[in-house]
Amino acid sequence: MNNQDFAWIAVPDVTPLFRLSINTPEYEFKREVIDAQQIDLFNLIDHTLYNAIDTAVKANPAQWKQKSYNAGDKVFYDNAYYIANTTTTNAPPSSGWDNYELMNFYYLYVKKYLAGAAMVRYAPYLGLHLTQWGLEQYNQEGFGQVSDKRRGEIVNMIKSKTSVFQTKMFDALSEAKNTFDGVVYGSTSCKSKRKTLPFAALGAGKFNNQPLTHNRREYL
């Protein structure tokens, strides 16, 4: 893995899929995204595929413009990615362009899975208040303790949606026979166990079995 601080998605990629305040600090959510892609996703897909996506996402193909493109140039246009197969001034999809399969796999499936996996990690703080006395949420009297039932409900809803995104990602990978843009990647194991933040670590007064000595506020 390269550049372990590089996040493949950001808050604007998550808000169309999950309820997350537009005021959520990017730096706060980035930690969960990094863990989601470098732990959850990395354990699910072939490592060479992971690194290929990482390189492609970092390259960040620009929006197509009316100009001349050369073979190998990559662009984003009308919610899809394309690779030029010759010199062209045409807008994709048209002659002169091929489907950029790797980035479209990322765009259509990986991004959604990452949004869910990151939310599973972030959910214990979503609209909640983590203090030295434990996890709290807002009610009519102010902030009060969050029940284990409510915490379970929050994450179970997100896990259910994320599970669908994961299934669609694996289906797309299987349909492509692990091949994108003519490159065959290693096999994918659906049996990998995803690691998520344990709720037991969020008991009153402790986080990861360590006493809480500071306040952390994160609001919906």
Side-chain angles (χ1 to χ4, degrees):
M1 291 181 288
N2 302 316
N3 190 356
Q4 295 193 6
D5 291 328
F6 184 83
W8 296 2
I9 62 170
V11 170
D13 297 313
V14 177
T15 49
L17 303 172
F18 297 93
R19 294 178 181 177
L20 184 64
S21 171
I22 59 175
N23 297 320
T24 299
E26 194 76 33
Y27 70 89
E28 288 283 358
F29 194 68
K30 179 180 177 181
R31 294 177 303 182
E32 318 309 334
V33 172
I34 294 295
D35 282 349
Q37 71 190 46
Q38 294 187 352
I39 298 176
D40 300 332
L41 182 64
F42 192 72
N43 284 336
L44 288 177
I45 66 175
D46 176 72
H47 296 179
T48 59
L49 175 58
Y50 179 99
N51 289 328
I53 295 173
D54 187 55
T55 299
V57 172
K58 287 174 183 174
N60 190 26
Q63 178 74 30
W64 177 86
K65 295 181 180 180
Q66 184 64 62
K67 67 175 188 177
S68 179
Y69 288 92
N70 298 317
D73 287 344
K74 303 174 179 67
V75 299
F76 180 74
Y77 182 73
D78 195 22
N79 290 316
Y81 288 89
Y82 299 90
I83 305 176
N85 56 38
T86 186
T87 300
T88 180
T89 58
N90 295 332
S94 64
S95 60
W97 295 98
D98 291 325
N99 177 11
Y100 188 2
E101 297 171 344
L102 181 65
M103 277 298 287
N104 284 320
F105 171 67
Y106 155 79
Y107 183 72
L108 295 174
Y109 303 103
V110 176
K111 281 182 68 173
K112 292 179 180 179
Y113 168 73
L114 279 183
M119 282 297 296
V120 169
R121 291 176 171 276
Y122 190 70
Y125 308 110
L126 183 60
L128 308 177
H129 181 200
L130 183 61
T131 73
Q132 62 265 42
W133 299 287
L135 202 60
E136 300 179 346
Q137 69 179 355
Y138 186 77
N139 54 42
Q140 291 181 340
E141 291 75 31
F143 276 93
Q145 290 292 320
V146 177
S147 68
D148 289 339
K149 178 182 177 182
R150 181 54 182 156
R151 281 184 284 185
E153 289 173 347
I154 292 171
V155 176
N156 283 337
M157 287 186 292
I158 297 172
K159 279 186 173 181
S160 176
K161 195 170 184 178
T162 303
S163 179
V164 173
F165 292 151
Q166 179 179 314
T167 298
K168 289 183 177 181
M169 181 176 68
F170 277 120
D171 285 348
L173 193 56
S174 176
E175 184 176 349
K177 298 181 179 179
N178 298 331
T179 304
F180 298 108
D181 310 305
V183 179
V184 180
Y185 298 94
S187 61
T188 300
S189 172
C190 299
K191 299 180 180 179
S192 301
K193 184 177 181 181
R194 292 171 54 247
K195 300 178 182 178
T196 55
L197 189 63
F199 298 113
L202 295 170
K206 289 187 176 182
F207 184 82
N208 286 342
N209 294 321
Q210 297 297 321
L212 289 171
T213 57
H214 63 281
N215 292 348
R216 176 179 177 179
R217 288 179 177 270
E218 300 181 24
Y219 298 101
L220 179 63

